[in-house]
Amino acid sequence: MAGEGYAEGLAALAAADADFARVLPRLGELPERRIEPGLAGLLRVIVGQQVSVLAARAIWARLEASVGAAGEAGAWLAADPERLRGCGLSRQKLAYLLNVATAVADGLDLDALAGESDHAFIAALTRIKGVGRWTAENYLLFALDRPDVWPAHDLALAEAVRRLKGLSERPSWRQLDAHAEPWRPWRGIAARALWRFYAASREPGWEAV
């Protein structure tokens, strides 16, 4: 999303929510965090499931070096599975990657799906074993720059909302959805800001204001 889109979204969030208005000036510019659309981008999101950002980057770099043509389904399906496992993948996660590569090889058109609504895109991708809502939503956010995608099952977002709102307990995903309602149609921008807030609030010297 272009910088103008970020600026518009952040201004709307600050106007809609006093807590955002309080913390946004302290967060600075939001990190770009963009991935290329297509098979490689989707597989990269799967690699990032349930691991740290740094670990995911390291694993993906090794996979790219191993597979070479990371954007081609055939290259993944022809690769030695044990060599891919050696890049840091569990057997289950490797199976998920190959499920996606197989779906693309069998005709799943990610470029065509990019023109569908968020709901239709998520429905199509989650038919593939190993692709859940979190994966589809993060692809929509970081590959397709959708401004209103809200990954309510993300634990870091839940913790960020807890801290932002001063809650005693981490909200459930249903409660997260309720908190995010006033942020439409900029929930994707809210998610990016909350991830940045979560990281910032863990840094030494951060104090709530």
Side-chain angles (χ1 to χ4, degrees):
M1 182 178 299
E4 295 83 357
Y6 281 128
E8 182 182 357
L10 292 172
L13 291 171
D17 190 303
D19 291 311
F20 266 126
R22 175 170 49 85
V23 301
L24 284 175
R26 302 186 65 193
L27 299 182
E29 188 174 349
L30 296 185
E32 184 68 16
R33 286 192 67 184
R34 194 172 193 283
I35 58 175
E36 288 299 316
L39 175 62
L42 179 55
L43 297 182
R44 187 170 182 174
V45 175
I46 294 173
V47 168
Q49 292 173 353
Q50 299 179 325
V51 298
S52 71
V53 172
L54 290 178
R57 285 175 182 165
I59 293 169
W60 182 252
R62 292 193 291 268
L63 286 169
E64 277 193 308
S66 179
V67 175
E72 297 180 10
W76 288 92
L77 297 175
D80 178 4
E82 289 308 310
R83 186 175 178 183
L84 297 181
R85 286 260 293 131
C87 294
L89 295 174
S90 66
R91 292 191 184 279
Q92 183 180 58
K93 191 166 285 189
L94 173 59
Y96 294 164
L97 295 182
L98 296 180
N99 287 346
V100 173
T102 298
V104 170
D106 288 345
L108 177 69
D109 189 338
L110 291 173
D111 290 338
L113 273 181
E116 299 288 343
S117 69
D118 295 346
H119 178 78
F121 184 91
I122 291 168
L125 254 65
T126 52
R127 294 190 188 103
I128 306 170
K129 185 175 181 180
V131 180
R133 286 192 64 90
W134 184 92
T135 299
E137 287 165 343
N138 275 267
Y139 182 90
L140 284 169
L141 269 175
F142 297 118
L144 301 184
D145 285 330
R146 299 290 177 91
D148 197 41
V149 174
W150 177 246
H153 293 269
D154 188 274
L155 291 179
L157 275 186
E159 178 60 18
V161 170
R162 186 193 71 78
R163 296 183 184 202
L164 181 72
K165 296 297 180 181
L167 305 176
S168 60
E169 296 182 354
R170 187 181 295 165
S172 69
W173 70 266
R174 292 185 187 279
Q175 291 168 328
L176 271 185
D177 274 346
H179 279 294
E181 274 302 309
W183 305 334
R184 291 179 181 270
W186 300 106
R187 291 177 303 166
I189 303 299
R192 290 174 180 266
L194 285 163
W195 279 314
R196 174 68 188 118
F197 168 68
Y198 173 69
S201 65
R202 300 172 71 198
E203 294 170 359
W206 174 274
E207 296 178 0
V209 293

